[in-house]
PDB file of all heavy atoms in Angstrom:
ATOM      1  N   GLY A 238      -9.121 -10.640  -7.337  1.00  0.00           N
ATOM      2  CA  GLY A 238     -10.131  -9.594  -7.186  1.00  0.00           C
ATOM      3  C   GLY A 238     -10.097  -9.052  -5.781  1.00  0.00           C
ATOM      4  O   GLY A 238      -9.143  -9.271  -5.035  1.00  0.00           O
ATOM      5  N   ALA A 239     -11.175  -8.385  -5.414  1.00  0.00           N
ATOM      6  CA  ALA A 239     -11.235  -7.684  -4.127  1.00  0.00           C
ATOM      7  C   ALA A 239     -11.166  -8.669  -2.969  1.00  0.00           C
ATOM      8  O   ALA A 239     -10.662  -8.364  -1.894  1.00  0.00           O
ATOM      9  CB  ALA A 239     -12.539  -6.900  -4.072  1.00  0.00           C
ATOM     10  N   LYS A 240     -11.643  -9.923  -3.190  1.00  0.00           N
ATOM     11  CA  LYS A 240     -11.712 -10.866  -2.066  1.00  0.00           C
ATOM     12  C   LYS A 240     -10.307 -11.231  -1.580  1.00  0.00           C
ATOM     13  O   LYS A 240     -10.110 -11.647  -0.443  1.00  0.00           O
ATOM     14  CB  LYS A 240     -12.462 -12.142  -2.507  1.00  0.00           C
ATOM     15  CG  LYS A 240     -13.968 -11.947  -2.758  1.00  0.00           C
ATOM     16  CD  LYS A 240     -14.737 -11.746  -1.459  1.00  0.00           C
ATOM     17  CE  LYS A 240     -16.239 -11.691  -1.680  1.00  0.00           C
ATOM     18  NZ  LYS A 240     -16.859 -12.988  -1.964  1.00  0.00           N
ATOM     19  N   ALA A 241      -9.302 -11.051  -2.444  1.00  0.00           N
ATOM     20  CA  ALA A 241      -7.925 -11.369  -2.016  1.00  0.00           C
ATOM     21  C   ALA A 241      -7.510 -10.421  -0.892  1.00  0.00           C
ATOM     22  O   ALA A 241      -6.836 -10.828   0.066  1.00  0.00           O
ATOM     23  CB  ALA A 241      -6.978 -11.246  -3.199  1.00  0.00           C
ATOM     24  N   ASP A 242      -7.927  -9.160  -0.973  1.00  0.00           N
ATOM     25  CA  ASP A 242      -7.574  -8.194   0.077  1.00  0.00           C
ATOM     26  C   ASP A 242      -8.259  -8.556   1.389  1.00  0.00           C
ATOM     27  O   ASP A 242      -7.717  -8.309   2.476  1.00  0.00           O
ATOM     28  CB  ASP A 242      -7.981  -6.772  -0.354  1.00  0.00           C
ATOM     29  CG  ASP A 242      -7.023  -6.186  -1.405  1.00  0.00           C
ATOM     30  OD1 ASP A 242      -5.865  -6.672  -1.522  1.00  0.00           O
ATOM     31  OD2 ASP A 242      -7.435  -5.247  -2.115  1.00  0.00           O
ATOM     32  N   VAL A 243      -9.467  -9.146   1.296  1.00  0.00           N
ATOM     33  CA  VAL A 243     -10.176  -9.555   2.516  1.00  0.00           C
ATOM     34  C   VAL A 243      -9.377 -10.649   3.219  1.00  0.00           C
ATOM     35  O   VAL A 243      -9.162 -10.601   4.436  1.00  0.00           O
ATOM     36  CB  VAL A 243     -11.606 -10.039   2.182  1.00  0.00           C
ATOM     37  CG1 VAL A 243     -12.259 -10.705   3.393  1.00  0.00           C
ATOM     38  CG2 VAL A 243     -12.463  -8.869   1.692  1.00  0.00           C
ATOM     39  N   TRP A 244      -8.920 -11.646   2.448  1.00  0.00           N
ATOM     40  CA  TRP A 244      -8.089 -12.720   3.020  1.00  0.00           C
ATOM     41  C   TRP A 244      -6.868 -12.112   3.714  1.00  0.00           C
ATOM     42  O   TRP A 244      -6.587 -12.410   4.886  1.00  0.00           O
ATOM     43  CB  TRP A 244      -7.639 -13.701   1.924  1.00  0.00           C
ATOM     44  CG  TRP A 244      -6.636 -14.731   2.357  1.00  0.00           C
ATOM     45  CD1 TRP A 244      -5.296 -14.530   2.561  1.00  0.00           C
ATOM     46  CD2 TRP A 244      -6.868 -16.118   2.659  1.00  0.00           C
ATOM     47  NE1 TRP A 244      -4.694 -15.690   2.996  1.00  0.00           N
ATOM     48  CE2 TRP A 244      -5.626 -16.689   3.033  1.00  0.00           C
ATOM     49  CE3 TRP A 244      -8.013 -16.938   2.640  1.00  0.00           C
ATOM     50  CZ2 TRP A 244      -5.485 -18.032   3.393  1.00  0.00           C
ATOM     51  CZ3 TRP A 244      -7.877 -18.289   2.994  1.00  0.00           C
ATOM     52  CH2 TRP A 244      -6.627 -18.805   3.368  1.00  0.00           C
ATOM     53  N   SER A 245      -6.154 -11.232   3.023  1.00  0.00           N
ATOM     54  CA  SER A 245      -4.919 -10.648   3.585  1.00  0.00           C
ATOM     55  C   SER A 245      -5.207  -9.854   4.855  1.00  0.00           C
ATOM     56  O   SER A 245      -4.421  -9.866   5.794  1.00  0.00           O
ATOM     57  CB  SER A 245      -4.249  -9.740   2.544  1.00  0.00           C
ATOM     58  OG  SER A 245      -3.977 -10.468   1.368  1.00  0.00           O
ATOM     59  N   SER A 246      -6.378  -9.184   4.886  1.00  0.00           N
ATOM     60  CA  SER A 246      -6.709  -8.403   6.100  1.00  0.00           C
ATOM     61  C   SER A 246      -6.875  -9.348   7.291  1.00  0.00           C
ATOM     62  O   SER A 246      -6.556  -8.983   8.427  1.00  0.00           O
ATOM     63  CB  SER A 246      -7.984  -7.577   5.885  1.00  0.00           C
ATOM     64  OG  SER A 246      -9.136  -8.407   5.947  1.00  0.00           O
ATOM     65  N   CYS A 247      -7.353 -10.577   7.046  1.00  0.00           N
ATOM     66  CA  CYS A 247      -7.499 -11.536   8.156  1.00  0.00           C
ATOM     67  C   CYS A 247      -6.144 -12.104   8.556  1.00  0.00           C
ATOM     68  O   CYS A 247      -5.916 -12.410   9.736  1.00  0.00           O
ATOM     69  CB  CYS A 247      -8.473 -12.641   7.770  1.00  0.00           C
ATOM     70  SG  CYS A 247     -10.169 -12.032   7.705  1.00  0.00           S
ATOM     71  N   CYS A 248      -5.215 -12.200   7.594  1.00  0.00           N
ATOM     72  CA  CYS A 248      -3.841 -12.617   7.946  1.00  0.00           C
ATOM     73  C   CYS A 248      -3.231 -11.516   8.829  1.00  0.00           C
ATOM     74  O   CYS A 248      -2.511 -11.788   9.787  1.00  0.00           O
ATOM     75  CB  CYS A 248      -3.002 -12.798   6.684  1.00  0.00           C
ATOM     76  SG  CYS A 248      -3.546 -14.181   5.662  1.00  0.00           S
ATOM     77  N   MET A 249      -3.564 -10.257   8.503  1.00  0.00           N
ATOM     78  CA  MET A 249      -3.064  -9.129   9.307  1.00  0.00           C
ATOM     79  C   MET A 249      -3.693  -9.172  10.703  1.00  0.00           C
ATOM     80  O   MET A 249      -3.025  -8.905  11.717  1.00  0.00           O
ATOM     81  CB  MET A 249      -3.409  -7.807   8.609  1.00  0.00           C
ATOM     82  CG  MET A 249      -2.740  -6.594   9.196  1.00  0.00           C
ATOM     83  SD  MET A 249      -3.284  -5.086   8.405  1.00  0.00           S
ATOM     84  CE  MET A 249      -4.901  -4.916   9.162  1.00  0.00           C
TER      85      MET A 249
END
Side-chain angles (χ1 to χ4, degrees):
K240 290 288 186 74
D242 285 340
V243 169
W244 172 283
S245 303
S246 76
C247 289
C248 293
M249 191 184 76

